Amino acid sequence: MKNNPDIFSQTFNLPYSALTIGGRLKMDWLLNVFQNAASTQCHAYGISGFDMAEKDLKWVVAQYRIQIHTPIDWMTPLVVQTWRAPWKNLYEVRQFRLMAEQDHRLETSSPLVTASSIWILIKAANNRPVRLAPNMPAALMKSPVQEPAELIKPDADLAHVDHECSFPVRFLDLDLNEHVNNRVYVRWAVESLPGRLNFEYTPVTCDVIYQKEALPGDTVQSRISMSFENDLLFTDHIIIRQSSKEKLAHLMLTWKKTGIRHLFHTKK
């Protein structure tokens, strides 16, 4: 790929902590990679969360759309790339791709993982969105995206509920904004799949809409509906605050049947 100064790149090896049973990639770990890359680029631009906090502002993510195209093995050398652009002074559209290091400069190479997201700037005092231009360097407002991000529009309610479970908000779920970090909602959705299915299927796509914040002291309830088609499982998730029944997030995942790979065997 041609060098583009607006694309931030960071090289690393796929760590052991990114893998779950059978050597599968953890979907929620990807959000950590994306957030870290975005935060590093924003820091260079002077618009990081810490920079915005000085203006009584916060960045919040409104949605993610993630697709895992190819399985990745432990210690694979990788490059995460991210780039951003404003949309009509309303929100930031931020794109991500995860590439094999040896392929990331090739025009014909295919990414291992792709993702798009929408980030909104809000006033910390009242959580109301604000316009970007008064709070961003002018240079960052000169190249708006030509098309808006594709908005995820799920059904208002689940067609049916096949399974549900509850999760307490734990201290380590919280981020600098003092609410549950966006990756945790994905973990809750994955964990709400009945155990036997998590052994048989692995997620390959994930759409998330964030609607309200889960806060310290909350218990959330994750409800899930499921449908099967050949070797695919489609799940629709609603996460609510248990005390008030407010909807916090809506997620839609596609899972592929892979079976379990036993990587380690006990020697007798």
Side-chain angles (χ1 to χ4, degrees):
M1 294 184 180
K2 295 179 181 178
N3 291 330
N4 184 333
D6 295 326
I7 296 179
F8 171 81
S9 297
Q10 193 171 51
T11 303
F12 64 100
N13 290 349
L14 185 72
Y16 189 87
S17 60
L19 301 175
T20 185
I21 191 166
R24 301 169 183 172
L25 194 65
K26 296 177 182 177
M27 182 70 78
D28 63 323
W29 171 85
L30 286 171
L31 275 73
N32 278 345
V33 173
F34 298 154
Q35 189 168 27
N36 289 340
S39 297
T40 302
Q41 186 182 45
C42 285
H43 172 66
Y45 288 152
I47 59 170
S48 70
F50 288 100
D51 296 310
M52 292 307 183
E54 295 178 358
K55 302 178 181 180
D56 194 33
L57 299 171
K58 298 190 294 187
W59 285 112
V60 295
V61 62
Q63 71 172 48
Y64 261 111
R65 170 157 279 174
I66 305 168
Q67 184 170 1
I68 300 175
H69 303 280
T70 304
I72 311 173
D73 293 327
W74 175 50
M75 293 298 291
T76 298
L78 300 171
V79 174
V80 61
Q81 298 181 320
T82 185
W83 60 101
R84 43 73 58 197
W87 171 250
K88 289 189 174 180
N89 201 23
L90 297 177
Y91 54 77
E92 288 265 301
V93 177
R94 181 169 282 279
Q95 308 284 352
F96 302 90
R97 59 183 171 228
L98 198 59
M99 311 283 292
E101 184 180 16
Q102 70 270 20
D103 296 337
H104 81 283
R105 295 186 182 277
L106 302 176
E107 292 286 350
T108 57
S109 63
S110 298
L112 305 173
V113 179
T114 54
S116 63
S117 58
I118 293 176
W119 293 79
I120 299 172
L121 195 59
I122 66 171
K123 193 74 174 174
N126 55 20
N127 287 342
R128 293 184 180 276
V130 299
R131 300 281 180 169
L132 297 177
N135 303 291
M136 301 273 284
L140 298 182
M141 299 298 297
K142 291 181 178 178
S143 300
V145 290
Q146 298 304 306
E147 297 291 339
E150 183 179 358
L151 299 177
I152 306 169
K153 296 180 179 180
D155 294 333
D157 295 302
L158 301 183
H160 49 88
V161 177
D162 294 305
H163 188 69
E164 59 184 71
C165 52
S166 298
F167 302 95
V169 171
R170 304 185 186 278
F171 178 78
L172 293 181
D173 295 333
L174 306 176
D175 60 20
L176 289 167
N177 289 328
E178 299 182 16
H179 56 64
V180 170
N181 186 264
N182 56 74
R183 67 170 175 81
V184 178
Y185 297 86
V186 175
R187 176 170 59 80
W188 285 335
V190 171
E191 290 282 359
S192 65
L193 195 69
R196 64 176 182 83
L197 294 176
N198 252 323
F199 280 83
E200 297 174 10
Y201 291 84
T202 188
V204 291
T205 73
C206 180
D207 289 353
V208 193
I209 300 174
Y210 301 96
Q211 295 164 294
K212 289 184 179 292
E213 302 169 338
L215 302 170
D218 281 341
T219 296
V220 304
Q221 190 173 38
S222 179
R223 298 173 177 173
I224 178 174
S225 68
M226 301 180 289
S227 61
F228 297 85
E229 182 178 325
N230 298 322
D231 65 342
L232 297 178
L233 165 62
F234 302 94
T235 59
D236 200 0
H237 308 252
I238 289 179
I239 295 176
I240 64 173
R241 197 183 332 270
Q242 190 165 280
S243 60
S244 63
K245 307 305 179 186
E246 295 173 280
K247 188 186 295 185
L248 305 178
H250 199 135
L251 302 92
M252 292 150 288
L253 282 79
T254 305
W255 309 66
K256 186 173 183 180
K257 193 167 188 177
T258 61
I260 185 64
R261 286 195 304 153
H262 295 284
L263 299 181
F264 302 98
H265 298 274
T266 303
K267 294 181 180 180
K268 295 184 179 180

